[in-house]
Amino acid sequence: MKTIIKTLVVSLCMISFLSCNAKEKKEIEQLALVETKAHKPNNQFIKVALLLDTSNSMDGLIDQAKAQLWDIVNELSYAKCGDEKPNLQIALYEYGNDNLNSDEGFIRQVLAFSDDLDEISKQLFSLTTNGGNEYCGQVIQTALKQLKWGENNDDLKLIFIAGNEPFSQGKISYQDATKQAHKNDVSVNTIFCGDYNQGIATYWKDGADLSHGDYMAINHNHETTYVATPYDDKILQLNIKLNKTYVAYGYAGKTKIALQAEQDTNAMGYSQANAVSRTVSKSSHLYKNSTWDLVDADKEKDFKFENLKKDDLPKELKDKSTAEIKTYVNNKRIERDTIQKEIQELNEKRRHYIKSQQTLESNGLENAMIHAIKTQAKEKKYTW
């Protein structure tokens, strides 16, 4: 009996240590099962569903999303849940565009929850504006039903919906949709593109309040401003070296490594500073490419070099033995780790420099999202 009690006490301590914000009920349930079921550490996620109005007047909003994606990702990469760094998944919807199916409420799921940052960037750059009819309640309800939100109480689950028409439009009640979100532990954060008080008058604040989310108003037509730093050129040089550490394999390899280069170009198309921000994202734990890169794939538990087919391998590895391939990939991993560490060190200096140069916070999408995420993350015991 003493042994059982001791086991229960030790197990309870482990649960408390491993959980970022475990509920009391959850602890009791786990405690009851501890004699027959080993506890596994939580694998926390920050899940962000971005619902963007792509009607005619929203070109500025889409531009901000494209220009500020990497800064948002970088800020989220600094988050911690206890001693762990949570994973990030982003989903993307567009609504209010006349090119979309009217039977589905002029709504389209552009991308389900994904940790493929290059694909997320690609889809953002594919968005165009036209029309239309904006049904906020319906797009929120659609995102709640279609996306796999999971049941981990430690996950941070967030919807960000941005637009400029009355929040009450459409046949689906925004009150019902946002209340359901709150019931599902999903916070709805509303971003009105225009005057703060006008957003309140058109129910954008009410939509956020009903799900315990944040209401924000932004100037969506304000161009993103960048602060050039003395570290930018060096970081971009390291990006070139970083790209050379990727070892593309399999059917998706050639396509994905081309996509990586394409998104580098897209980022540079906005500004050098934006390209730097993307490079910083590529040096973080959130940038994962195990489906097409052998260096990342080697970190996966179910990956085995022995299962690779010759046709899956890049030209430089086709005639190599398994042992030689392992050595080659390991050397690339060491090289990548060194480059990523140097980028992170330079980025710390870059962040301090930018902070010293900025006098006012931008009233844009990035700051609105980061403020809301950090506010709600505190309730889940996330820290920065």
Short mmCIF file of all heavy atoms in Angstrom, two decimals, residues 316-367:
data_model
loop_
_atom_site.label_atom_id
_atom_site.label_comp_id
_atom_site.label_asym_id
_atom_site.label_seq_id
_atom_site.Cartn_x
_atom_site.Cartn_y
_atom_site.Cartn_z
N GLU A 316 23.68 13.99 -55.52
CA GLU A 316 24.96 13.81 -54.83
C GLU A 316 24.98 12.62 -53.87
O GLU A 316 26.04 12.22 -53.38
CB GLU A 316 25.34 15.09 -54.06
CG GLU A 316 24.39 15.48 -52.95
CD GLU A 316 23.29 16.42 -53.42
OE1 GLU A 316 22.98 16.41 -54.64
OE2 GLU A 316 22.73 17.13 -52.56
N LEU A 317 23.80 12.01 -53.61
CA LEU A 317 23.74 10.89 -52.67
C LEU A 317 23.32 9.57 -53.30
O LEU A 317 23.30 8.54 -52.63
CB LEU A 317 22.77 11.22 -51.53
CG LEU A 317 23.14 12.40 -50.62
CD1 LEU A 317 22.08 12.59 -49.55
CD2 LEU A 317 24.51 12.18 -49.97
N LYS A 318 23.01 9.57 -54.58
CA LYS A 318 22.45 8.37 -55.21
C LYS A 318 23.39 7.17 -55.17
O LYS A 318 22.94 6.02 -55.07
CB LYS A 318 22.06 8.68 -56.66
CG LYS A 318 20.78 9.51 -56.78
CD LYS A 318 20.33 9.62 -58.22
CE LYS A 318 19.09 10.47 -58.37
NZ LYS A 318 17.91 9.87 -57.69
N ASP A 319 24.68 7.40 -55.23
CA ASP A 319 25.63 6.28 -55.26
C ASP A 319 26.33 6.08 -53.92
O ASP A 319 27.34 5.38 -53.84
CB ASP A 319 26.68 6.53 -56.35
CG ASP A 319 26.06 6.56 -57.75
OD1 ASP A 319 25.13 5.77 -57.99
OD2 ASP A 319 26.50 7.38 -58.58
N LYS A 320 25.77 6.67 -52.87
CA LYS A 320 26.38 6.56 -51.55
C LYS A 320 25.76 5.40 -50.76
O LYS A 320 24.60 5.04 -50.95
CB LYS A 320 26.19 7.86 -50.76
CG LYS A 320 26.74 9.10 -51.43
CD LYS A 320 28.26 9.10 -51.47
CE LYS A 320 28.79 10.41 -52.06
NZ LYS A 320 30.27 10.41 -52.15
N SER A 321 26.55 4.84 -49.86
CA SER A 321 26.03 3.81 -48.95
C SER A 321 25.20 4.48 -47.86
O SER A 321 25.26 5.71 -47.67
CB SER A 321 27.18 3.04 -48.32
OG SER A 321 27.92 3.90 -47.45
N THR A 322 24.44 3.68 -47.12
CA THR A 322 23.63 4.23 -46.03
C THR A 322 24.50 4.94 -45.01
O THR A 322 24.15 6.02 -44.52
CB THR A 322 22.82 3.11 -45.35
OG1 THR A 322 21.94 2.50 -46.30
CG2 THR A 322 21.99 3.66 -44.19
N ALA A 323 25.63 4.35 -44.69
CA ALA A 323 26.54 4.96 -43.72
C ALA A 323 27.06 6.31 -44.23
O ALA A 323 27.17 7.28 -43.47
CB ALA A 323 27.71 4.02 -43.43
N GLU A 324 27.38 6.37 -45.51
CA GLU A 324 27.88 7.62 -46.10
C GLU A 324 26.79 8.69 -46.12
O GLU A 324 27.06 9.88 -45.89
CB GLU A 324 28.40 7.36 -47.51
CG GLU A 324 29.70 6.57 -47.55
CD GLU A 324 30.10 6.18 -48.97
OE1 GLU A 324 29.19 5.88 -49.79
OE2 GLU A 324 31.31 6.16 -49.26
N ILE A 325 25.55 8.27 -46.39
CA ILE A 325 24.43 9.22 -46.39
C ILE A 325 24.22 9.79 -44.99
O ILE A 325 24.03 11.00 -44.81
CB ILE A 325 23.14 8.54 -46.90
CG1 ILE A 325 23.28 8.17 -48.37
CG2 ILE A 325 21.93 9.46 -46.70
CD1 ILE A 325 22.14 7.32 -48.90
N LYS A 326 24.29 8.93 -43.99
CA LYS A 326 24.13 9.38 -42.60
C LYS A 326 25.20 10.39 -42.23
O LYS A 326 24.91 11.41 -41.59
CB LYS A 326 24.19 8.18 -41.65
CG LYS A 326 22.95 7.30 -41.67
CD LYS A 326 23.09 6.17 -40.66
CE LYS A 326 21.86 5.29 -40.63
NZ LYS A 326 21.99 4.18 -39.64
N THR A 327 26.42 10.12 -42.63
CA THR A 327 27.52 11.04 -42.33
C THR A 327 27.32 12.38 -43.02
O THR A 327 27.51 13.45 -42.43
CB THR A 327 28.87 10.43 -42.78
OG1 THR A 327 29.09 9.21 -42.07
CG2 THR A 327 30.02 11.38 -42.51
N TYR A 328 26.90 12.33 -44.28
CA TYR A 328 26.65 13.55 -45.05
C TYR A 328 25.56 14.40 -44.39
O TYR A 328 25.72 15.62 -44.21
CB TYR A 328 26.23 13.16 -46.47
CG TYR A 328 25.96 14.32 -47.40
CD1 TYR A 328 26.98 14.88 -48.16
CD2 TYR A 328 24.68 14.86 -47.52
CE1 TYR A 328 26.74 15.94 -49.02
CE2 TYR A 328 24.42 15.92 -48.37
CZ TYR A 328 25.45 16.46 -49.13
OH TYR A 328 25.21 17.51 -49.97
N VAL A 329 24.46 13.76 -44.03
CA VAL A 329 23.34 14.47 -43.41
C VAL A 329 23.74 15.02 -42.04
O VAL A 329 23.38 16.15 -41.68
CB VAL A 329 22.11 13.54 -43.28
CG1 VAL A 329 21.01 14.19 -42.44
CG2 VAL A 329 21.57 13.19 -44.67
N ASN A 330 24.49 14.24 -41.28
CA ASN A 330 24.94 14.71 -39.96
C ASN A 330 25.83 15.94 -40.09
O ASN A 330 25.72 16.88 -39.28
CB ASN A 330 25.68 13.60 -39.24
CG ASN A 330 26.02 13.98 -37.81
OD1 ASN A 330 25.14 14.31 -37.01
ND2 ASN A 330 27.30 13.94 -37.47
N ASN A 331 26.69 15.95 -41.08
CA ASN A 331 27.55 17.12 -41.30
C ASN A 331 26.73 18.35 -41.67
O ASN A 331 27.03 19.47 -41.23
CB ASN A 331 28.58 16.83 -42.39
CG ASN A 331 29.65 15.85 -41.94
OD1 ASN A 331 29.90 15.70 -40.74
ND2 ASN A 331 30.29 15.18 -42.89
N LYS A 332 25.68 18.14 -42.47
CA LYS A 332 24.79 19.25 -42.83
C LYS A 332 24.04 19.76 -41.60
O LYS A 332 23.81 20.97 -41.45
CB LYS A 332 23.79 18.80 -43.90
CG LYS A 332 24.39 18.59 -45.28
CD LYS A 332 24.84 19.91 -45.90
CE LYS A 332 25.35 19.72 -47.31
NZ LYS A 332 25.83 21.00 -47.91
N ARG A 333 23.67 18.84 -40.72
CA ARG A 333 22.97 19.24 -39.49
C ARG A 333 23.87 20.10 -38.60
O ARG A 333 23.44 21.14 -38.08
CB ARG A 333 22.52 18.00 -38.71
CG ARG A 333 21.81 18.34 -37.39
CD ARG A 333 21.54 17.10 -36.56
NE ARG A 333 22.75 16.38 -36.23
CZ ARG A 333 23.61 16.75 -35.28
NH1 ARG A 333 23.37 17.85 -34.57
NH2 ARG A 333 24.68 16.05 -35.03
N ILE A 334 25.11 19.68 -38.45
CA ILE A 334 26.07 20.45 -37.65
C ILE A 334 26.27 21.84 -38.25
O ILE A 334 26.29 22.85 -37.54
CB ILE A 334 27.41 19.69 -37.54
CG1 ILE A 334 27.23 18.40 -36.75
CG2 ILE A 334 28.48 20.58 -36.90
CD1 ILE A 334 28.44 17.48 -36.79
N GLU A 335 26.41 21.88 -39.56
CA GLU A 335 26.58 23.15 -40.26
C GLU A 335 25.35 24.05 -40.06
O GLU A 335 25.48 25.25 -39.78
CB GLU A 335 26.79 22.88 -41.76
CG GLU A 335 27.07 24.12 -42.58
CD GLU A 335 27.23 23.81 -44.06
OE1 GLU A 335 27.23 22.61 -44.43
OE2 GLU A 335 27.34 24.76 -44.85
N ARG A 336 24.16 23.46 -40.17
CA ARG A 336 22.93 24.23 -40.00
C ARG A 336 22.80 24.76 -38.57
O ARG A 336 22.44 25.92 -38.36
CB ARG A 336 21.70 23.39 -40.35
CG ARG A 336 20.40 24.19 -40.28
CD ARG A 336 19.18 23.33 -40.59
NE ARG A 336 19.28 22.75 -41.92
CZ ARG A 336 18.40 21.89 -42.42
NH1 ARG A 336 17.37 21.49 -41.68
NH2 ARG A 336 18.55 21.41 -43.64
N ASP A 337 23.08 23.91 -37.61
CA ASP A 337 22.98 24.33 -36.20
C ASP A 337 23.88 25.53 -35.93
O ASP A 337 23.51 26.47 -35.22
CB ASP A 337 23.35 23.18 -35.27
CG ASP A 337 22.29 22.09 -35.22
OD1 ASP A 337 21.17 22.34 -35.70
OD2 ASP A 337 22.59 20.99 -34.71
N THR A 338 25.07 25.49 -36.50
CA THR A 338 26.03 26.59 -36.31
C THR A 338 25.52 27.88 -36.93
O THR A 338 25.58 28.96 -36.32
CB THR A 338 27.39 26.21 -36.93
OG1 THR A 338 27.88 25.01 -36.33
CG2 THR A 338 28.41 27.33 -36.73
N ILE A 339 24.98 27.77 -38.15
CA ILE A 339 24.46 28.95 -38.85
C ILE A 339 23.24 29.52 -38.12
O ILE A 339 23.13 30.74 -37.92
CB ILE A 339 24.09 28.59 -40.31
CG1 ILE A 339 25.35 28.22 -41.09
CG2 ILE A 339 23.37 29.76 -40.99
CD1 ILE A 339 25.07 27.60 -42.45
N GLN A 340 22.33 28.64 -37.71
CA GLN A 340 21.13 29.10 -37.02
C GLN A 340 21.47 29.78 -35.70
O GLN A 340 20.85 30.79 -35.33
CB GLN A 340 20.18 27.92 -36.79
CG GLN A 340 19.51 27.43 -38.06
CD GLN A 340 18.59 26.26 -37.82
OE1 GLN A 340 18.84 25.41 -36.96
NE2 GLN A 340 17.50 26.19 -38.58
N LYS A 341 22.44 29.25 -35.00
CA LYS A 341 22.86 29.86 -33.74
C LYS A 341 23.42 31.26 -33.99
O LYS A 341 23.11 32.21 -33.24
CB LYS A 341 23.92 28.99 -33.06
CG LYS A 341 24.38 29.54 -31.71
CD LYS A 341 25.42 28.63 -31.08
CE LYS A 341 25.90 29.21 -29.75
NZ LYS A 341 26.95 28.36 -29.12
N GLU A 342 24.20 31.42 -35.04
CA GLU A 342 24.76 32.73 -35.36
C GLU A 342 23.67 33.72 -35.74
O GLU A 342 23.70 34.89 -35.35
CB GLU A 342 25.78 32.60 -36.49
CG GLU A 342 26.57 33.89 -36.74
CD GLU A 342 27.69 33.73 -37.75
OE1 GLU A 342 27.94 32.59 -38.19
OE2 GLU A 342 28.31 34.75 -38.10
N ILE A 343 22.67 33.25 -36.50
CA ILE A 343 21.54 34.12 -36.86
C ILE A 343 20.79 34.57 -35.62
O ILE A 343 20.44 35.75 -35.48
CB ILE A 343 20.59 33.38 -37.83
CG1 ILE A 343 21.26 33.16 -39.19
CG2 ILE A 343 19.28 34.18 -38.02
CD1 ILE A 343 20.47 32.26 -40.12
N GLN A 344 20.55 33.64 -34.70
CA GLN A 344 19.84 33.99 -33.47
C GLN A 344 20.61 35.01 -32.64
O GLN A 344 20.02 35.93 -32.06
CB GLN A 344 19.58 32.72 -32.65
CG GLN A 344 18.53 31.79 -33.24
CD GLN A 344 17.12 32.36 -33.14
OE1 GLN A 344 16.76 33.01 -32.18
NE2 GLN A 344 16.32 32.11 -34.16
N GLU A 345 21.91 34.85 -32.58
CA GLU A 345 22.74 35.80 -31.82
C GLU A 345 22.70 37.19 -32.45
O GLU A 345 22.59 38.20 -31.75
CB GLU A 345 24.18 35.28 -31.74
CG GLU A 345 24.33 34.06 -30.84
CD GLU A 345 25.71 33.43 -30.93
OE1 GLU A 345 26.49 33.83 -31.83
OE2 GLU A 345 26.00 32.53 -30.11
N LEU A 346 22.79 37.24 -33.78
CA LEU A 346 22.70 38.52 -34.47
C LEU A 346 21.31 39.13 -34.32
O LEU A 346 21.16 40.36 -34.20
CB LEU A 346 23.03 38.34 -35.96
CG LEU A 346 24.50 38.09 -36.30
CD1 LEU A 346 24.64 37.66 -37.76
CD2 LEU A 346 25.33 39.34 -36.04
N ASN A 347 20.31 38.28 -34.30
CA ASN A 347 18.94 38.78 -34.17
C ASN A 347 18.70 39.42 -32.81
O ASN A 347 17.93 40.38 -32.69
CB ASN A 347 17.93 37.65 -34.40
CG ASN A 347 16.50 38.16 -34.37
OD1 ASN A 347 16.15 39.10 -35.08
ND2 ASN A 347 15.67 37.55 -33.54
N GLU A 348 19.32 38.89 -31.77
CA GLU A 348 19.19 39.52 -30.45
C GLU A 348 19.71 40.96 -30.49
O GLU A 348 19.08 41.88 -29.96
CB GLU A 348 19.95 38.71 -29.40
CG GLU A 348 19.17 37.54 -28.83
CD GLU A 348 17.85 37.97 -28.20
OE1 GLU A 348 17.88 38.81 -27.28
OE2 GLU A 348 16.79 37.50 -28.66
N LYS A 349 20.84 41.15 -31.14
CA LYS A 349 21.39 42.50 -31.28
C LYS A 349 20.47 43.36 -32.15
O LYS A 349 20.27 44.55 -31.88
CB LYS A 349 22.79 42.43 -31.89
CG LYS A 349 23.80 41.68 -31.03
CD LYS A 349 25.14 41.56 -31.75
CE LYS A 349 26.14 40.78 -30.91
NZ LYS A 349 27.44 40.61 -31.60
N ARG A 350 19.92 42.73 -33.18
CA ARG A 350 19.02 43.44 -34.09
C ARG A 350 17.76 43.90 -33.36
O ARG A 350 17.30 45.03 -33.54
CB ARG A 350 18.65 42.51 -35.25
CG ARG A 350 17.60 43.04 -36.21
CD ARG A 350 17.40 42.06 -37.36
NE ARG A 350 16.26 42.43 -38.19
CZ ARG A 350 15.03 41.96 -38.04
NH1 ARG A 350 14.78 41.08 -37.08
NH2 ARG A 350 14.06 42.35 -38.83
N ARG A 351 17.20 43.04 -32.53
CA ARG A 351 15.98 43.39 -31.78
C ARG A 351 16.23 44.57 -30.84
O ARG A 351 15.40 45.49 -30.74
CB ARG A 351 15.49 42.19 -30.97
CG ARG A 351 14.94 41.05 -31.80
CD ARG A 351 14.59 39.87 -30.93
NE ARG A 351 13.43 40.13 -30.08
CZ ARG A 351 13.13 39.43 -28.99
NH1 ARG A 351 13.94 38.45 -28.59
NH2 ARG A 351 12.05 39.71 -28.29
N HIS A 352 17.36 44.55 -30.17
CA HIS A 352 17.69 45.66 -29.26
C HIS A 352 17.86 46.96 -30.05
O HIS A 352 17.44 48.03 -29.59
CB HIS A 352 18.96 45.34 -28.48
CG HIS A 352 18.78 44.29 -27.42
ND1 HIS A 352 17.86 44.42 -26.40
CD2 HIS A 352 19.38 43.09 -27.23
CE1 HIS A 352 17.90 43.34 -25.62
NE2 HIS A 352 18.82 42.52 -26.11
N TYR A 353 18.47 46.85 -31.22
CA TYR A 353 18.68 48.04 -32.05
C TYR A 353 17.34 48.62 -32.50
O TYR A 353 17.11 49.83 -32.42
CB TYR A 353 19.54 47.69 -33.26
CG TYR A 353 19.86 48.88 -34.14
CD1 TYR A 353 20.98 49.67 -33.90
CD2 TYR A 353 19.03 49.23 -35.21
CE1 TYR A 353 21.27 50.77 -34.69
CE2 TYR A 353 19.30 50.33 -36.00
CZ TYR A 353 20.43 51.10 -35.74
OH TYR A 353 20.70 52.20 -36.52
N ILE A 354 16.44 47.75 -32.98
CA ILE A 354 15.12 48.20 -33.44
C ILE A 354 14.35 48.86 -32.30
O ILE A 354 13.73 49.91 -32.47
CB ILE A 354 14.33 47.02 -34.03
CG1 ILE A 354 14.97 46.56 -35.34
CG2 ILE A 354 12.87 47.40 -34.27
CD1 ILE A 354 14.37 45.29 -35.92
N LYS A 355 14.42 48.24 -31.13
CA LYS A 355 13.71 48.80 -29.97
C LYS A 355 14.22 50.19 -29.62
O LYS A 355 13.46 51.08 -29.24
CB LYS A 355 13.87 47.85 -28.78
CG LYS A 355 13.00 48.22 -27.58
CD LYS A 355 13.12 47.17 -26.49
CE LYS A 355 12.21 47.53 -25.31
NZ LYS A 355 12.31 46.50 -24.22
N SER A 356 15.52 50.40 -29.79
CA SER A 356 16.11 51.70 -29.45
C SER A 356 15.74 52.77 -30.47
O SER A 356 15.78 53.97 -30.17
CB SER A 356 17.63 51.58 -29.37
OG SER A 356 18.20 51.39 -30.66
N GLN A 357 15.36 52.34 -31.69
CA GLN A 357 15.06 53.29 -32.75
C GLN A 357 13.57 53.63 -32.86
O GLN A 357 13.19 54.65 -33.41
CB GLN A 357 15.53 52.73 -34.11
CG GLN A 357 17.03 52.50 -34.19
CD GLN A 357 17.83 53.77 -34.05
OE1 GLN A 357 17.58 54.76 -34.73
NE2 GLN A 357 18.80 53.76 -33.14
N GLN A 358 12.72 52.74 -32.35
CA GLN A 358 11.28 52.95 -32.46
C GLN A 358 10.76 53.80 -31.31
O GLN A 358 11.08 53.55 -30.15
CB GLN A 358 10.54 51.61 -32.48
CG GLN A 358 10.72 50.84 -33.78
CD GLN A 358 9.99 49.51 -33.78
OE1 GLN A 358 9.84 48.88 -32.73
NE2 GLN A 358 9.55 49.07 -34.94
N THR A 359 9.96 54.80 -31.66
CA THR A 359 9.38 55.68 -30.63
C THR A 359 7.90 55.40 -30.41
O THR A 359 7.39 55.54 -29.31
CB THR A 359 9.55 57.15 -31.04
OG1 THR A 359 8.99 57.35 -32.35
CG2 THR A 359 11.03 57.53 -31.07
N LEU A 360 7.20 54.97 -31.47
CA LEU A 360 5.77 54.70 -31.37
C LEU A 360 5.47 53.31 -31.92
O LEU A 360 6.09 52.87 -32.89
CB LEU A 360 4.95 55.74 -32.15
CG LEU A 360 5.00 57.18 -31.65
CD1 LEU A 360 4.28 58.10 -32.63
CD2 LEU A 360 4.38 57.30 -30.25
N GLU A 361 4.50 52.63 -31.31
CA GLU A 361 4.06 51.34 -31.83
C GLU A 361 3.18 51.55 -33.05
O GLU A 361 2.35 52.45 -33.08
CB GLU A 361 3.29 50.56 -30.76
CG GLU A 361 4.18 49.91 -29.73
CD GLU A 361 3.43 48.86 -28.92
OE1 GLU A 361 2.19 48.78 -29.07
OE2 GLU A 361 4.08 48.14 -28.15
N SER A 362 3.35 50.71 -34.04
CA SER A 362 2.54 50.79 -35.25
C SER A 362 1.12 50.32 -34.97
O SER A 362 0.91 49.35 -34.24
CB SER A 362 3.16 49.93 -36.35
OG SER A 362 2.28 49.78 -37.43
N ASN A 363 0.15 51.03 -35.54
CA ASN A 363 -1.25 50.63 -35.40
C ASN A 363 -1.61 49.70 -36.56
O ASN A 363 -2.42 50.02 -37.42
CB ASN A 363 -2.16 51.88 -35.42
CG ASN A 363 -3.62 51.51 -35.29
OD1 ASN A 363 -3.96 50.48 -34.73
ND2 ASN A 363 -4.49 52.35 -35.84
N GLY A 364 -0.96 48.53 -36.57
CA GLY A 364 -1.14 47.59 -37.68
C GLY A 364 -1.48 46.20 -37.20
O GLY A 364 -1.66 45.93 -36.01
N LEU A 365 -1.57 45.28 -38.16
CA LEU A 365 -1.99 43.91 -37.89
C LEU A 365 -1.05 43.20 -36.92
O LEU A 365 -1.50 42.52 -35.99
CB LEU A 365 -2.07 43.14 -39.21
CG LEU A 365 -2.54 41.69 -39.13
CD1 LEU A 365 -4.00 41.62 -38.70
CD2 LEU A 365 -2.37 41.00 -40.49
N GLU A 366 0.25 43.33 -37.14
CA GLU A 366 1.22 42.61 -36.32
C GLU A 366 1.07 42.93 -34.83
O GLU A 366 0.94 42.03 -33.99
CB GLU A 366 2.64 42.96 -36.78
CG GLU A 366 3.73 42.36 -35.89
CD GLU A 366 5.08 43.01 -36.11
OE1 GLU A 366 5.23 43.78 -37.07
OE2 GLU A 366 5.98 42.76 -35.30
N ASN A 367 1.09 44.22 -34.49
CA ASN A 367 1.00 44.61 -33.08
C ASN A 367 -0.34 44.20 -32.46
O ASN A 367 -0.40 43.81 -31.29
CB ASN A 367 1.21 46.12 -32.93
CG ASN A 367 2.68 46.49 -33.01
OD1 ASN A 367 3.55 45.66 -32.77
ND2 ASN A 367 2.96 47.74 -33.36
#
